[in-house]
Amino acid sequence: MLTVDDVLEQVGEFGWFQKQAFLILCLISAAFAPIYVGIVFLAFTPDHRCRSPGVAELSRRCGWSLAEELNYTVPGPGPEGQAFARRCRRYEVDWNQSALGCVDPLAGLAANSSLLPLGPCRHGWVYDTPGSSIVTEFNLVCDDSWKVDLFQSCVNVGFFLGSLGIGYIADRFGRKVCLLATTLISAILGVLTAVAPDYTSLLLFRLGQGLVSKGSWTAGYTLITEFVGLGYRRTVAILYQVAFTVGLVLLSGLAYAVPHWRWLQLAVSLPTFLLLLCYWFVPESPRWLLSQKRNTQAVKIMDHIAQKNGKLPPPDLKMLSLEEDITEKLSPSFAGLFRTPHLRKHTFILMYLWFTSSVLYQGLIMHMGVTGGNLYLDFFYSALVEFPAAFIILVTIERFGRLYPLAGSNLVVGAACFLMIFISHDLHWLNIVVACVGRMGITLAFQMVCLVNAELYPTFLRNLGVMVCSSLCDLGGVITPFLVFRLMEVWQGLPLILFAALGLVAGGMTLLLPETKGVALPETIKDAENLRRKAKPKENKIYLQIQTSEFNSQAPERDASLGTGWQR
């Protein structure tokens, strides 16, 4: 029977049609970047202090500069290990009383200003920034600072819940329908987020966008890998993720040009509507059509691909069908992921690797956004290092295998986080360099764990295994904002200690997995269990058997049996 891969070998595995579809779908991947890490710019927290109408009036009367006003009227830093008093507390002083002078006005009230009582900010805050963010608009600071964490956690909760349902929609109604529907809903919710009147509605729109946006990215990933031939599938999958990095680079420039969060949100949401044009340029997956017994439509699309690539379709194209696979008759189940000792071990390790990748990737971005000098340049530099990460993957996975690059990348990010603890804040350039090395390491790990995950499960459990294990990635994203921002209130280096431990442990645990380089994908649970067993070379087995003369008469039968066993 003629399969899709057979046809693609004749009409082009990566011809003009695939290149056009790839470029269009890469726009989907790039548009996902602002949703995934847009919190860095949408919710940045500038320096702030309590607003006091009396202070403002006194400052105008005395002609103070900003530095003088801060020196005279704002409390100094609190005790080490506590939140800064200058940001969340104010002097309980009546600034309108006439006894206050213009030179050190608090000197007449107390010998030491630290003895004056402090109180909460009753009139809001003053923010030292020319732009705006959801923090400055909704006053998400001090006692309400946890609401910033919740804002980012909502989108990750959406990712988690959406991954459970969007995959079913793509399998039930088609990749193209799923792609268009999720893209449209994500664009609408992005615009609604930009005009949200209050914090509660902001959370609801953010949650809804998380429910569909990852499904849009995944549908695009599935489509492009199903359009290309086997020889290009891995390369295209990695480059599709590189398009996400392009989105990160563009986001930093756009955020610099548009420093107000509502306009920035509109700027990244409105162009998403243009992606609906892929309706006319990207057809449905022929593989999915065949799985739904819609062979006539699949044949038409393969004929269209041949025409676009300037090739003649095979004469027996109408015989196109899915390659039969008896393992598909087996029903996947959640319990199957833990049925045997090796599968159980692989599942737990992969869950941890997905969780760690998410926490370290998002955590490093958030930590740099809070502690960096120039928010836009720091984000830009750290995004650039993701490009060589993709090149390293393409070069190393076939030469050195999967395990050592994956383990090494986790060890690199763990070591980088550990070093950052001891680097002085005055050496900002060194902090950025080490952080970028860590960012490149976790990018390598993030992209490779997806590849390794798919290669460790038998065919009928593969999709379920990837879905279940990668769901820990979304759960990691839910808690990451709380880990970063709350731990930094205790000590700025505390999140880095946690990141270093997670990365180093992940590097060690990776080595407990079997190497899958040059190994056929397992078809059954028995194949998955035997991944660690390296078969002896076939020539050696034949050599040992032909030395026993009394069995020479049975050599043909042995050779046939041996060949069958080798293929298994």
Side-chain angles (χ1 to χ4, degrees), residues 60-242:
R60 281 194 297 270
R61 179 166 60 86
C62 295
W64 288 337
S65 65
L66 177 60
E68 289 174 321
E69 179 181 333
L70 295 177
N71 184 44
Y72 291 149
T73 65
V74 177
E80 187 176 358
Q82 297 182 13
F84 289 109
R86 70 164 55 242
R87 292 186 171 187
C88 300
R89 311 286 282 174
R90 68 178 185 89
Y91 289 122
E92 292 283 9
V93 171
D94 181 8
W95 295 100
N96 294 315
Q97 57 183 300
S98 58
L100 297 178
C102 290
V103 178
D104 197 5
L106 298 180
L109 302 179
N112 189 336
S113 60
S114 63
L115 301 178
L116 291 171
L118 299 178
C121 301
R122 294 190 177 91
H123 303 284
W125 287 263
V126 176
Y127 298 96
D128 297 330
T129 176
S132 67
S133 70
I134 66 170
V135 171
T136 63
E137 182 165 335
F138 299 111
N139 288 326
L140 306 182
V141 292
C142 299
D143 291 340
D144 286 334
S145 59
W146 61 272
K147 292 182 178 180
V148 179
D149 313 354
L150 185 60
F151 174 75
Q152 179 64 10
S153 294
C154 273
V155 75
N156 281 283
V157 170
F159 291 159
F160 175 71
L161 298 177
S163 65
L164 303 179
I166 299 298
Y168 170 78
I169 293 174
D171 288 338
R172 177 66 179 83
F173 301 102
R175 282 76 162 108
K176 184 176 179 178
V177 171
C178 178
L179 176 69
L180 293 172
T182 53
T183 300
L184 175 61
I185 297 172
S186 180
I188 293 173
L189 289 171
V191 172
L192 290 176
T193 300
V195 298
D198 51 51
Y199 176 76
T200 302
S201 58
L202 188 71
L203 288 185
L204 293 176
F205 295 145
R206 187 71 168 167
L207 175 63
Q209 197 171 30
L211 283 170
V212 295
S213 57
K214 189 177 180 181
S216 177
W217 186 91
T218 305
Y221 180 92
T222 304
L223 264 176
I224 192 55
T225 54
E226 291 184 347
F227 277 139
V228 301
L230 185 61
Y232 291 88
R233 199 165 297 159
R234 185 171 297 150
T235 301
V236 164
I238 293 174
L239 293 179
Y240 182 79
Q241 298 180 65
V242 171

Side-chain angles (χ1 to χ4, degrees), residues 543-554:
Y543 176 80
L544 291 173
Q545 291 192 8
I546 62 175
Q547 298 307 302
T548 310
S549 57
E550 61 263 31
F551 292 117
N552 279 345
S553 61
Q554 300 177 5

Side-chain angles (χ1 to χ4, degrees), residues 394-464:
L394 291 172
V395 171
T396 59
I397 57 175
E398 295 303 334
R399 295 187 179 184
F400 304 104
R402 280 77 160 133
L403 291 191
Y404 292 121
L406 178 57
S409 58
N410 277 299
L411 293 175
V412 165
V413 67
C417 291
F418 185 74
L419 289 176
M420 289 171 64
I421 300 171
F422 304 100
I423 300 176
S424 170
H425 291 293
D426 297 330
L427 297 175
H428 178 64
W429 64 271
L430 184 57
N431 266 303
I432 293 300
V433 170
V434 177
C436 286
V437 171
R439 175 77 173 271
M440 182 169 65
I442 196 56
T443 301
L444 278 164
F446 220 149
Q447 295 189 10
M448 289 201 66
V449 69
C450 185
L451 173 64
V452 172
N453 198 157
E455 293 180 337
L456 289 178
Y457 286 107
T459 300
F460 76 101
L461 282 176
R462 191 164 297 130
N463 287 338
L464 180 64

